[in-house]
């Protein structure tokens, strides 16, 4: 695993600390929005899959970013359901609530409270430069976008800095938000008192970019992809297999990784490699002279083998909402212990009178 491993003393520290003091492992933190009925290969292979491995070497905080999901129009019933589905999927993919703190963002009010303080540190022009805001507001025009959408990256900075993590594992598209987070941390430290350490993005290069199956020049995304361009983890496995078999390739026959000349084939190779752990070179050799039919057929099988048990595990978790909600409640309690301490420091340094 290409994760930067911390020194062994952290491991020992954690073993000793397990039942009493907070763990000495360095923290990582990440979040995902509950905006869809299922994670797709873009967010799974590009981000959440890496979260599972991080549990061995870090003290992870993973949350469902429901506050972020109301920055665009949403359906309240769907939001609640999707929040549970997102949590169930995290657990189904191997996030272990004994080793990771898994929670729902709105269960920890400190996120919104710290965001307000950070709003006061962010200039209008700075927020305006965020490319995600530009993209997301482009459809209906900037004037129609919510103020919350504008402040989205500032809330994200609060999410992160509350837990003082060392790394933030995210997809490439979040890099700019991480930079803003570091800027705000630094600004707070200068203006008031050193409070935050600067978190580093943790972006995995090989799997960070999964493309649309039908338009491989574009990234796979819920908002931009057509239904046939996107593979959803909770979809009927037969449907996903069919999407893989009908993925756009090119008029050539060679299974070779070349993102510029062969974006479709390269994307399928990336997915194949990510799901099986086989290297791209190995796959290129294995399909040398075989053509796209065999290649896509095999990948379709690989996908079915992966999504079938994943879907079963997620369903089992969703069938027991009391158990699932209990896990999230315990997660939120643990998260609040850390978040409340940070917020208390911040409030004190800003000059708020103690309640
Ligand atoms: N903006 C992130 C995304 O769309 C989700 C997110 C919200 C996040 N808060 C975060 C990711 C804090 C990492 C850390 O993917």
């Amino acid at each position: 695993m290409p994760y930067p491993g911390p020194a062994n003393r952290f491991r020992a520290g954690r073993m000793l600390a397990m039942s009493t003091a907070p763990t000495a492992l360095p923290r990582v933190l990440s979040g995902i929005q509950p905006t869809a009925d299922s994670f797709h290969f873009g967010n799974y292979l590009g981000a959440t899959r890496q979260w599972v491995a991080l549990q061995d070497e870090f003290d992870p905080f993973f949350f469902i970013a429901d506050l972020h999901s109301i920055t665009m129009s949403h359906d309240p019933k769907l939001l609640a359901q999707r929040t549970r589905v997102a949590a169930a999927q995290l657990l189904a993919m191997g996030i272990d609530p004994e080793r990771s703190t898994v929670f729902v963002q709105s269960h920890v009010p400190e996120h919104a409270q710290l965001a307000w303080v950070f709003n006061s540190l962010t200039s209008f022009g700075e927020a305006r430069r965020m490319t995600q805001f530009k993209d997301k507001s482009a459809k209906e025009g900037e004037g129609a976008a919510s103020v919350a959408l504008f402040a989205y990256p500032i809330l994200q900075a609060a999410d992160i800095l509350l837990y003082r993590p060392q790394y933030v594992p995210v997809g490439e598209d979040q890099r700019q938000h991480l930079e803003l987070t570091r800027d705000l941390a630094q600004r707070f430290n200068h203006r008031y008192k050193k409070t935050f350490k600067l978190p580093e993005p943790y972006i995995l290069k090989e799997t960070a970019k999964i493309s649309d199956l039908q338009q491989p020049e574009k990234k796979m995304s819920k908002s931009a992809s057509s239904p046939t361009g996107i593979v959803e983890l909770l979809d009927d496995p037969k449907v996903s297999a069919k999407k893989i078999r009908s993925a756009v390739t090119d008029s050539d026959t060679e299974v070779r990784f070349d993102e510029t000349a062969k974006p479709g084939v390269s994307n399928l190779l990336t997915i194949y490699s990510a799901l099986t752990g086989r290297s791209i070179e190995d796959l290129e050799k294995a399909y040398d002279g075989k053509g796209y039919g065999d290649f896509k057929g095999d990948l379709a099988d690989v996908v079915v083998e992966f999504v079938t048990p994943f879907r079963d595990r997620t369903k089992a978790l969703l069938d027991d909402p009391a158990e699932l909600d209990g896990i999230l409640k315990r997660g939120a309690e643990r998260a609040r212990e850390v978040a409340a301490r940070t917020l208390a420091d911040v409030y004190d340094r800003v000059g708020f009178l103690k309640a």
Side-chain angles (χ1 to χ4, degrees):
M1 272 295 146
Y3 298 106
N8 282 334
R9 67 194 152 87
F10 288 120
R11 276 180 185 286
R14 176 176 229 210
M15 306 260 269
L16 292 173
M18 203 70 116
S19 56
T20 51
T23 155
L25 283 165
R27 284 200 191 113
V28 293
L29 169 132
S30 198
I32 185 157
Q33 282 198 61
T35 41
D37 295 323
S38 170
F39 292 164
H40 58 69
F41 270 19
N43 33 54
Y44 175 65
L45 296 174
T48 48
R49 191 176 72 112
Q50 337 304 337
W51 297 5
V52 178
L54 291 167
Q55 298 178 110
D56 297 335
E57 320 230 5
F58 293 93
D59 174 23
F61 284 70
F62 297 130
F63 67 95
I64 316 297
D66 58 345
L67 296 178
H68 279 107
S69 292
I70 65 164
T71 58
M72 309 267 277
S73 64
H74 78 287
D75 174 333
K77 277 212 199 73
L78 269 182
L79 178 59
Q81 166 63 11
R82 286 171 170 179
T83 299
R84 275 216 187 92
V85 175
Q89 288 179 95
L90 291 183
L91 302 175
M93 69 180 58
I95 301 295
D96 170 8
E98 296 298 318
R99 292 189 291 161
S100 293
T101 302
V102 184
F103 64 100
V104 175
Q105 188 185 27
S106 65
H107 293 177
V108 181
E110 286 80 3
H111 288 247
Q113 292 173 298
L114 182 60
W116 182 252
V117 175
F118 285 166
N119 279 337
S120 76
L121 288 180
T122 312
S123 72
F124 199 85
E126 194 174 26
R128 214 161 179 298
R129 282 194 292 276
M130 295 291 124
T131 55
Q132 193 175 73
F133 174 73
K134 286 190 210 162
D135 295 345
K136 287 195 179 179
S137 62
K139 241 192 253 158
E140 294 180 9
E142 198 183 276
S146 71
V147 173
L149 184 66
F150 190 64
Y152 178 120
I154 304 166
L155 175 60
Q156 183 164 350
D159 296 339
I160 296 169
L161 295 173
L162 271 179
Y163 301 93
R164 310 181 210 220
Q166 180 167 358
Y167 294 110
V168 183
V170 283
E172 178 65 43
D173 62 329
Q174 297 297 311
R175 193 184 283 280
Q176 199 186 27
H177 292 170
L178 260 294
E179 269 155 30
L180 176 72
T181 302
R182 290 166 58 89
D183 287 347
L184 290 176
Q186 221 157 7
R187 200 169 303 156
F188 187 96
N189 290 348
H190 277 137
R191 188 165 307 176
Y192 300 106
K193 182 178 169 192
K194 185 154 186 346
T195 304
F196 299 110
K197 63 177 187 194
L198 305 193
E200 289 162 47
Y202 194 78
I203 293 166
L204 260 190
K205 283 284 175 290
E206 321 90 78
T207 54
K209 252 182 53 206
I210 302 293
S211 304
D212 186 314
L213 297 180
Q214 292 300 319
Q215 295 172 282
E217 343 40 72
K218 288 195 186 153
K219 93 171 196 178
M220 186 181 286
S221 111
K222 159 153 165 49
S223 48
S225 298
S226 69
T228 48
I230 182 168
V231 181
E232 299 199 291
L233 296 186
L234 298 179
D235 211 348
D236 179 347
K238 282 197 217 86
V239 172
S240 300
K242 189 160 175 233
K243 288 182 186 174
I244 295 284
R245 283 195 303 266
S246 24
V248 162
T249 41
D250 50 54
S251 55
D252 191 24
T253 54
E254 203 187 350
V255 178
R256 180 169 55 84
F257 191 89
D258 180 340
E259 276 180 311
T260 334
K262 303 168 80 71
V265 174
S266 303
N267 186 40
L268 295 177
L269 276 167
T270 303
I271 294 172
Y272 203 144
S273 168
L275 288 179
T276 58
R278 291 172 69 179
S279 71
I280 302 266
E281 302 84 73
D282 179 34
L283 291 168
E284 284 174 337
K285 272 194 211 115
Y287 288 96
D288 188 20
K290 284 201 178 150
Y292 295 157
D294 283 356
F295 171 61
K296 288 202 225 172
D298 289 353
L299 177 56
D301 291 345
V302 164
V303 167
V304 169
E305 259 164 58
F306 172 76
V307 294
T308 306
F310 175 82
R311 206 166 162 240
D312 294 344
R313 284 196 297 275
T314 306
K315 282 204 175 127
L317 286 155
L318 290 170
D319 283 344
D320 191 351
E323 168 73 14
L324 185 59
D325 290 355
I327 291 172
L328 295 174
K329 183 161 183 274
R330 287 190 292 280
E333 281 162 7
R334 250 158 59 194
R336 279 202 85 175
E337 279 172 29
V338 179
R341 273 200 301 271
T342 307
L343 188 75
D345 285 350
V346 167
Y347 270 23
D348 180 56
R349 284 155 197 188
V350 166
F352 291 155
L353 185 63
K354 260 212 174 68

